[in-house]
């Protein structure tokens, strides 16, 4: 579900309930609401997306997400449904690789390629696919230029289709690349837009990382205030687990956050952060990230 999904504004009571649970990190309860609908491709895919998002924020539940994905793939019939299922497979394989659970990078590339062949270029699902391909390019292939192009396509597609939540992710990742290149003003604007959208939508699980990312572009005392608020939210929600141990985002030796699926934490404006172990990463593997 990284970056996209139904919000409380959609008017459907079921989707409103799912959004409220999802946005507070109650993925298991949200997925349970969809169990009566798993015989329908849309319901099966949404349940898969919820369980995959849980993996990304908690680093647990991988087997359950894989099982749900296989079920969704089995009942997908149209090109759109099969393309959406391939996009979910690519994202789950990407996340598994990023967190060091299992190297599934080739599987992610192959799945995203299938999805690109099945999803219409102007279709609503194309923006999410472009965003996820950007994540793979940035954090697995270490190809920031390719990632930027993918994020920009995703940003334009999300705007065209009114996918506000996805825009919070594209703003964030484009800002992360800007910060990586030292473009502080551009990065601050992007992180601020991402935070604004998440606060307006009530996307609580994504607010702490957004606060922490913005803090890296601000001067004191604003940066400390933002990190303190991020830490408060992490203590309240218990997620993301890779932010739970510290109000300051952990970074790898490059100064980038090592375990985020849709946020990117750039180098601190102060002294370099101490290198911390990447959650679940194999020794020697340089895991990049963007995060939720």
């Amino acid at each position: 579900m990284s970056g996209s999904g139904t919000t409380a504004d959609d008017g459907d009571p079921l989707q409103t309930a799912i959004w409220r649970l999802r946005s507070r990190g109650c993925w298991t309860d949200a997925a349970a609401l969809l169990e009566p609908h798993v015989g329908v491709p849309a319901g099966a895919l949404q349940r898969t997306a919820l369980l995959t998002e849980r993996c990304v924020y908690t680093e647990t539940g991988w087997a359950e997400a894989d099982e749900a994905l296989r079920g969704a793939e089995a009942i997908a019939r149209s090109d759109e449904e099969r393309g959406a299922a391939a996009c979910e497979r690519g994202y789950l394989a990407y996340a598994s690789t990023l967190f060091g659970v299992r190297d599934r990078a080739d599987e992610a590339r192959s799945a995203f390629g299938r999805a690109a062949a099945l999803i219409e270029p102007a279709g609503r699902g194309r923006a999410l696919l472009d965003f996820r391909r950007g994540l793979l390019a940035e954090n697995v292939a270490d190809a920031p230029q390719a990632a930027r192009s993918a994020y920009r396509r995703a940003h334009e597609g999300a705007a065209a289709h009114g996918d506000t939540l996805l825009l919070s992710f594209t703003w964030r990742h484009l800002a992360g690349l800007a910060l990586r290149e030292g473009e502080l003003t551009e990065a601050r604007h992007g992180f601020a837009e991402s935070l604004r959208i998440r606060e307006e939508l009530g996307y609580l699980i994504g607010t702490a990382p957004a606060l922490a990312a913005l803090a890296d572009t601000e001067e004191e005392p604003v940066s400390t205030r933002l990190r303190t608020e991020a830490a408060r939210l992490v203590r309240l929600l218990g997620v993301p687990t890779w932010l739970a141990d510290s109000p300051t985002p952990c970074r790898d030796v490059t100064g980038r956050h090592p375990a985020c699926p849709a946020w990117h934490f750039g180098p601190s404006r102060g002294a370099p952060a101490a290198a911390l172990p990447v959650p679940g990463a194999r020794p020697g593997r340089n895991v990049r990230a963007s995060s939720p």
Side-chain angles (χ1 to χ4, degrees):
M1 212 167 244
S2 156
S4 188
T6 303
T7 69
D9 292 333
D10 291 311
D12 182 328
L14 174 61
Q15 294 301 329
T16 296
I18 290 170
W19 169 255
R20 287 175 177 168
L21 290 167
R22 173 197 175 191
S23 64
R24 290 161 175 76
C26 302
W27 296 280
T28 302
D29 293 338
L33 295 179
L34 286 166
E35 286 180 1
H37 306 279
V38 293
V40 178
L45 281 168
Q46 188 178 8
R47 183 172 181 273
T48 298
L50 285 167
L51 294 174
T52 300
E53 187 175 65
R54 181 182 66 176
C55 294
V56 165
Y57 280 87
T58 70
E59 303 172 72
T60 63
W62 301 94
E64 188 175 359
D66 263 313
E67 182 180 1
L69 175 59
R70 288 192 294 271
E73 289 173 328
I75 63 173
R77 293 292 179 265
S78 69
D79 284 354
E80 181 181 4
E81 291 163 357
R82 291 186 294 120
C87 185
E88 290 303 324
R89 176 163 291 283
Y91 184 58
L92 182 59
Y94 158 77
S96 176
T97 303
L98 183 70
F99 285 94
V101 177
R102 183 158 61 91
D103 189 344
R104 298 169 62 177
D106 289 342
E107 179 186 348
R109 293 186 189 95
S110 176
F112 285 149
R114 290 197 306 276
L118 291 164
I119 298 174
E120 290 290 334
R124 184 181 180 88
R126 191 67 179 216
L128 180 61
L129 173 62
D130 284 337
F131 172 70
R132 289 173 170 178
R133 294 181 92 175
L135 292 178
L136 188 69
E138 181 182 5
N139 303 317
V140 176
D142 195 18
Q145 295 305 320
R148 179 180 288 102
S149 295
Y151 293 151
R152 284 176 175 165
R153 291 194 303 272
H155 192 82
E156 292 170 1
H161 289 283
D163 193 338
T164 310
L165 182 59
L166 180 55
L167 281 172
S168 85
F169 283 81
T170 55
W171 272 121
R172 178 182 186 80
H173 282 276
L174 287 167
L177 290 175
L179 189 58
R180 179 173 176 172
E181 295 180 353
E183 299 293 338
L184 188 61
T185 300
E186 181 181 345
R188 183 185 298 117
H189 174 68
F191 286 140
E193 283 296 295
S194 178
L195 176 60
R196 177 187 63 79
I197 291 171
R198 292 175 182 200
E199 289 181 332
E200 289 178 356
L201 292 177
Y203 190 56
L204 293 180
I205 55 172
T207 301
L211 287 163
L214 182 59
D216 276 346
T217 69
E218 296 286 1
E219 301 284 357
E220 294 292 355
V222 176
S223 61
T224 294
R225 177 179 59 79
L226 291 170
R227 288 192 179 97
T228 299
E229 177 61 14
R232 186 190 70 80
L233 283 173
V234 170
R235 287 194 299 270
L236 176 67
L237 299 171
V239 293
T241 53
W242 33 262
L243 264 184
D245 294 335
S246 171
T248 303
C250 55
R251 298 172 175 81
D252 66 8
V253 292
T254 67
R256 282 170 278 174
H257 184 282
C260 318
W263 313 307
H264 186 98
F265 296 97
S268 172
R269 301 192 69 199
L276 298 177
V278 177
R282 296 185 299 280
R285 180 168 177 78
N286 182 16
V287 183
R288 302 283 195 276
S290 306
S291 38

